Amino acid sequence: MIVGGPVTLANVATVLEEGRRHLDEGVRVIDLSEVTEIDSSLLAALLAWLRHARAKDAELGFTHLPESLQTIARLYGADALLPTSIRS
């Protein structure tokens, strides 16, 4: 699954639900290379997707995490919650 465009508080609920549908269909990698704008709600979505996948005993990976997202994760102390495979 490729996530594109802005992911902010204004649209994160829609992005989150779309991601859950894709996870239920078997998607196991989420590519963030086309994300254009973020706030901390993207981090919340990633963590929610990880919980969703783990609840189904599925692995989930992320690619192309924006540097700004990695910074937010470090600031909130949440970077340790993200599997090392998703850090770029």
Side-chain angles (χ1 to χ4, degrees):
M1 176 177 111
I2 298 173
V3 178
V7 181
T8 64
L9 190 56
N11 71 335
V12 71
T14 301
V15 172
L16 183 59
E17 286 308 311
E18 182 178 331
R20 285 184 179 143
R21 280 195 307 276
H22 286 289
L23 292 173
D24 289 343
E25 293 169 357
V27 166
R28 294 298 170 247
V29 177
I30 297 176
D31 182 339
L32 302 171
S33 63
E34 296 184 16
V35 172
T36 58
E37 178 185 354
I38 72 153
D39 61 21
S40 60
S41 62
L42 177 56
L43 177 60
L46 296 183
L47 295 173
W49 288 332
L50 284 169
R51 282 191 305 272
H52 187 84
R54 288 178 181 158
K56 297 180 173 292
D57 292 323
E59 301 233 356
L60 180 62
F62 300 95
T63 61
H64 303 105
L65 269 72
E67 183 62 37
S68 54
L69 176 65
Q70 294 177 53
T71 299
I72 289 171
R74 281 190 299 273
L75 287 172
Y76 286 123
D79 54 330
L81 299 175
L82 301 176
T84 56
S85 64
I86 70 168
R87 294 186 192 139
S88 57

